[in-house]
Amino acid sequence: MTSLNATRVEGSVHSGSGAGRVAVVFERSSTGAAALREAAELANAGRELSVVTLAPQARPPRWGRAGGEGPYNIAIREEAELELQEAREILGSVASRATFKVLAGCPQPPLASWVTQHGFGLVLLPHQRLTRGGNLFARSLRKETSAEVRLVR
């Protein structure tokens, strides 16, 4: 006998917006996994799925002439790649129909512009307990894009 995991979603669940393009922001957490489960259901219903992990980058120091990237930024991007691998494993067979992207930016990745540029109609974000609005990016996405934004618990 199999058990189903319940996912709590803030926002409309059966909206017709987005004409098929769904972006899900994945982070290692129970709500990140719940967002992926919601995304997998939408992909199984015929929606086009993209999974993105975020890699905030530190500003280079203003002093000194050392070029290249700092070890911190490299480590953050490598960790984001590992998160994408974990997302592939969680999605299982759905992963073969999804695209995966690490979005890096300084100080924060440009998620809203990426969503707009790629024409996503729906963005699934993991709910973050102690963050105003439930997720750091929810407000900017709602303000700067026409995409529907859902916070998944």
Side-chain angles (χ1 to χ4, degrees):
M1 181 177 217
T2 60
S3 64
L4 296 175
N5 293 323
T7 301
R8 198 166 130 207
V9 177
E10 292 179 12
S12 64
V13 175
H14 299 290
S15 171
S17 69
R21 300 212 66 198
V22 177
V24 59
V25 176
F26 177 69
E27 60 186 34
R28 282 188 181 126
S29 66
S30 60
T31 57
L36 279 178
R37 286 192 302 271
E38 176 73 16
E41 289 179 24
L42 294 167
N44 284 332
R47 306 285 292 266
E48 184 180 333
L49 177 61
S50 291
V51 179
V52 64
T53 58
L54 306 176
Q57 302 290 282
R59 286 180 171 60
R62 294 180 190 246
W63 47 268
R65 296 184 181 262
E69 299 186 79
Y72 171 82
N73 288 346
I74 293 168
I76 292 296
R77 281 199 311 279
E78 288 174 353
E79 186 65 24
E81 287 290 347
L82 291 173
E83 286 181 352
L84 280 185
Q85 184 57 38
E86 186 176 324
R88 283 182 183 92
E89 293 169 7
I90 292 170
L91 286 173
S93 63
V94 174
S96 65
R97 299 189 315 267
T99 60
F100 296 85
K101 170 82 174 158
V102 171
L103 190 60
C106 180
Q108 291 294 332
L111 183 59
S113 62
W114 183 79
V115 165
T116 300
Q117 180 182 14
H118 291 87
F120 291 104
L122 173 62
V123 180
L124 299 174
L125 295 170
H127 185 271
Q128 297 164 335
R129 228 169 33 101
L130 300 175
T131 303
R132 183 176 175 196
N135 189 292
L136 177 66
F137 292 96
R139 177 182 280 165
S140 66
L141 285 168
R142 288 181 177 128
K143 182 179 177 183
E144 300 173 29
T145 73
S146 60
E148 176 186 353
V149 177
R150 294 185 199 167
L151 296 174
V152 182
R153 293 181 189 247

